[in-house]
Amino acid sequence: MSNSFLRLSGVHRHYGEGATQVRVLDEADLAVESGELVALVAPSGAGKSTLLHLCGLLESPQAGEVEIVGNKTSQLNDRGRTQLRRNTVGYVYQFHHLLPEFSALENVSMPQMIAGKTPAEAAVRAQELLDILGVGPRAAHRPAELSGGEQQRVAIARAAANHPRVILADEPTGNLDPATSDIVFEALKNLIRTEGAAALIATHNYDLARRADRIVTIKNGKVVAHTL
């Protein structure tokens, strides 16, 4: 039995019609396993954001299938897609988007309470994640009191708060200096191993991409292996 938490099969995505049509993905295939970190490296405009949006159910393909933990999504309505995304996908953006008036612990607790956990239950999970990511001692601090790397690690903890099976990250170290990028990437990698999630990370940082389990790129609308 496949252990792919994320699978794209024959996915096609284009924009526009007729002579102005732009084909971004054409019969694209991709599978990411539990506990696997895949780096996505491609030039600007190649379709990295489109691919992440499709994997995160923020967009739908014109053809093909996106499966999340074995759930085929092509026949789901908007509500079904939203529910599946909320329950199984965690997203990390280039900018942390933490709520400034809340502490690190509260930022990580909030999505759990929205999902139905009590504040006490949420706090236990939040502290556990902050500890895994090396920012446990900063749990009571607000974002403005944290460094850029600490803020991003809290954002990663928030993305993982509800035990997502799939973690998607769009340039998660793009705003950080090289030394801090290393720390954040290793923390993210450690979290993925610990949680057993499948992760797809878009990055322009070749040094970090080489530390992933494998690297893919987008070429002629296909997702293909890439060697840096």
Side-chain angles (χ1 to χ4, degrees), residues 32-48:
V32 185
E33 309 295 314
S34 167
E36 184 181 27
L37 190 158
V38 176
L40 171 61
V41 178
S44 295
K48 293 193 301 296

Side-chain angles (χ1 to χ4, degrees), residues 1 28 94 121 176 215 220:
M1 181 178 175
Q94 184 171 348
E121 291 170 333
L176 306 174
I215 307 168
N220 299 322

Side-chain angles (χ1 to χ4, degrees), residues 22 37 99 102 113 152 156 177 189 196 207 213:
V22 176
L37 190 158
L99 296 172
F102 295 101
M113 290 188 288
Q152 194 64 332
I156 292 168
D177 63 78
K189 192 173 179 178
D207 289 335
D213 296 307

Side-chain angles (χ1 to χ4, degrees), residues 105-201:
L105 187 82
E106 290 166 339
N107 266 280
V108 182
S109 295
M110 204 163 301
Q112 301 176 69
M113 290 188 288
I114 291 171
K117 280 191 175 181
T118 67
E121 291 170 333
V124 170
R125 168 71 173 164
Q127 187 65 57
E128 174 187 283
L129 287 168
L130 294 173
D131 288 340
I132 290 171
L133 289 161
V135 285
R138 309 289 280 167
H141 291 72
R142 294 183 181 183
E145 300 169 320
L146 303 174
S147 69
E150 288 170 340
Q151 290 171 346
Q152 194 64 332
R153 281 182 278 169
V154 174
I156 292 168
R158 181 183 57 189
N162 287 324
H163 299 278
R165 299 294 81 197
V166 175
I167 293 177
L168 305 172
D170 191 0
E171 297 288 349
T173 64
N175 287 327
L176 306 174
D177 63 78
T180 305
S181 294
D182 287 350
I183 293 169
V184 170
F185 190 85
E186 286 304 312
L188 176 57
K189 192 173 179 178
N190 180 40
L191 176 72
I192 290 159
R193 298 282 193 269
T194 302
E195 293 286 304
L200 179 64
I201 299 177

Side-chain angles (χ1 to χ4, degrees), residues 19-77:
T20 62
Q21 185 182 103
V22 176
R23 289 193 175 192
V24 180
L25 297 173
D26 190 3
E27 295 292 318
D29 299 317
L30 174 67
V32 185
E33 309 295 314
S34 167
E36 184 181 27
L37 190 158
V38 176
L40 171 61
V41 178
S44 295
K48 293 193 301 296
S49 293
T50 295
L51 182 61
L52 285 174
H53 288 168
L54 289 168
C55 292
L57 307 183
L58 298 171
E59 293 187 38
S60 299
Q62 276 96 4
E65 186 65 76
V66 178
E67 292 182 51
I68 305 290
V69 200
N71 295 282
K72 295 184 177 182
T73 63
S74 58
Q75 302 302 315
L76 292 177
N77 58 23

